[in-house]
Amino acid sequence: VSTPVLWTTVSVARAGLARRTASARPLVLVPTMGDLHDGHLALVRAGRELGDVVVSIFVNPTQFAPGEDFERYPRRLQEDLEQLAPLGVQAVFAPTVEEMYPRGESTRVEVHGIGDPLCGRHRPGHFVGVSTVCTKLFVILRPRIAVFGQKDAQQCLLLHRLVRDLRLDLDLVFVPTVRERDGLAMSSRNRYLRGAEREAATVLSRALAAGRGALEEGEREVAGIESVVAAQLRRGGADVDYAELRSVPDLDHPARAAGRMLLAVAAHVGKARLIDNLCVQVEDLTVREAPLLDEHTPAAVRARWGVADEEGKESTT
Ligand code: PAF
């Protein structure tokens, strides 16, 4: 067990990467904003199976809208490094704001369309901040693989589009959401929940289950399913930003549910703004939980990279 190497500047990171040998395993980036929990550690473990992992820890100011929690977002670098120590990551890239956004900078990366609905509507500028910082991380660290959590499903779809549009030589992995025992999706913002709010926050996963229940009973009208979910959130005392059922991968808003669909919710519980989602494959008579994008599951990416799966066999799809 050894604390990972810490890179705090772009030049030190580049020098560290230059020392990698040509035969090294693929470089895998796990971008985070720190305050690591088991959800992040699942991303790191998925990354470790694929190659040498660099974790970035950077609370990115440009993805916080005015009045959001940028200032009070938890920053716990030392604890994060300790948590990563047993996982065998190559390095942690934890730059300052000035390092990522040098004085006088004025460049942004914008993916049109897909960042507009859902969180984009409630967090102006958020996705421009996300696509800008991720592009910077991809350019600075030049990973071959990058791992993200499916809890941020809209972010995953946006980055999928960005990688495709910019023709980046980068394979994305989307890891299923890690939940507490009572269903609450793990998030650094769960720290903001006080007393009874912690239990109240389970209403997000319960509301998603109610939406899924409606689909299983044969409801296909998107508006009907959304109202079931929103009503459950409100009954649970949450202040709803949105409860929407949209198509994957384009996040269109059809009148009827069919094919791969994302049921996504965002709601305030106490001082915490929480998001959660459920991805389902909707057929005429059946509904099943499904990955966001089949070709970006950890198993699919392992198969693409010829990495032995959990049973120790080489995957061959
Ligand atoms: O998902 C996050 O934690 C952030 O949006 C990311 C991808 C690290 C970019 O700042």
Side-chain angles (χ1 to χ4, degrees):
V1 173
S2 62
T3 312
V5 173
L6 181 62
W7 298 333
T8 56
T9 64
V10 172
S11 58
V12 167
R14 288 207 167 117
L17 291 168
R19 281 195 290 277
R20 281 167 51 81
T21 58
S23 61
R25 301 171 77 209
L27 189 75
V28 182
L29 172 64
V30 180
T32 79
M33 299 207 299
D35 190 29
L36 303 181
H37 49 65
D38 285 352
H40 295 112
L41 302 187
L43 306 184
V44 175
R45 288 197 188 92
R48 281 284 294 135
E49 293 189 35
L50 289 158
D52 294 339
V53 171
V54 172
V55 175
S56 65
I57 296 181
F58 179 63
V59 184
N60 173 37
T62 62
Q63 71 186 74
F64 290 79
E68 287 188 351
D69 56 346
F70 174 66
E71 309 293 342
R72 67 188 173 111
Y73 197 87
R75 289 159 172 87
R76 310 155 63 89
L77 182 59
Q78 201 47 48
E79 287 91 332
D80 291 345
L81 293 174
E82 282 160 24
Q83 287 207 72
L84 291 171
L87 298 187
V89 310
Q90 271 239 313
V92 167
F93 178 53
T96 59
V97 171
E98 295 69 35
E99 192 67 16
M100 290 300 275
Y101 293 96
R103 185 194 285 267
E105 59 85 31
S106 60
T107 302
R108 292 290 175 273
V109 178
E110 183 165 3
V111 181
H112 290 283
I114 202 149
D116 293 346
L118 305 177
C119 282
R121 195 149 51 82
H122 294 269
R123 305 186 67 190
H126 170 69
F127 285 117
V128 173
V130 168
S131 39
T132 300
V133 80
C134 287
T135 304
K136 286 178 187 242
L137 291 169
F138 298 156
V139 168
I140 294 164
L141 300 167
R142 286 187 286 127
R144 298 298 312 282
I145 299 169
V147 186
F148 296 87
Q150 201 177 291
K151 193 189 74 122
D152 298 304
Q154 189 175 13
Q155 171 172 281
C156 290
L157 294 173
L158 177 107
L159 294 172
H160 176 250
R161 177 78 63 84
L162 178 146
V163 165
R164 194 199 62 184
D165 290 358
L166 295 183
R167 310 299 309 247
L168 298 181
D169 188 13
L170 176 66
D171 208 348
L172 298 179
V173 184
F174 301 141
V175 175
T177 302
V178 179
R179 297 178 181 280
E180 304 284 358
R181 291 165 79 96
D182 61 6
L184 178 66
M186 288 199 185
S187 162
S188 299
R189 291 189 168 97
N190 294 348
R191 277 188 197 283
Y192 301 153
L193 298 166
R194 293 279 163 262
E197 292 164 6
R198 168 63 189 77
E199 160 125 47
T202 58
V203 72
L204 275 83
S205 57
R206 285 185 283 117
L208 292 172
R212 180 186 178 154
L215 280 161
E216 281 167 351
E217 279 162 24
E219 175 68 274
R220 293 291 181 270
E221 290 292 332
V222 164
I225 295 154
E226 291 175 344
S227 63
V228 166
V229 177
Q232 171 106 16
L233 287 168
R234 289 198 188 96
R235 265 200 308 280
D239 181 7
V240 183
D241 266 2
Y242 61 76
E244 292 187 25
L245 183 62
R246 288 184 172 259
S247 63
V248 173
D250 296 331
L251 294 182
D252 290 337
H253 203 202
R256 290 184 66 77
R260 194 65 50 99
M261 303 289 298
L262 182 73
L263 183 56
V265 294
H268 298 258
V269 177
K271 287 198 165 52
R273 180 183 185 276
L274 304 175
I275 60 171
D276 201 352
N277 68 75
L278 177 70
C279 192
V280 284
Q281 180 69 27
V282 182
E283 307 298 351
D284 284 347
L285 299 175
T286 59
V287 177
R288 68 173 167 84
E289 195 165 343
L292 192 60
L293 295 172
D294 291 334
E295 66 277 25
H296 294 285
T297 63
V301 179
R302 281 201 302 272
R304 237 185 336 274
W305 285 81
V307 174
D309 63 22
E310 280 106 305
E311 283 86 50
K313 299 187 302 276
E314 193 95 330
S315 301
T316 51
T317 39

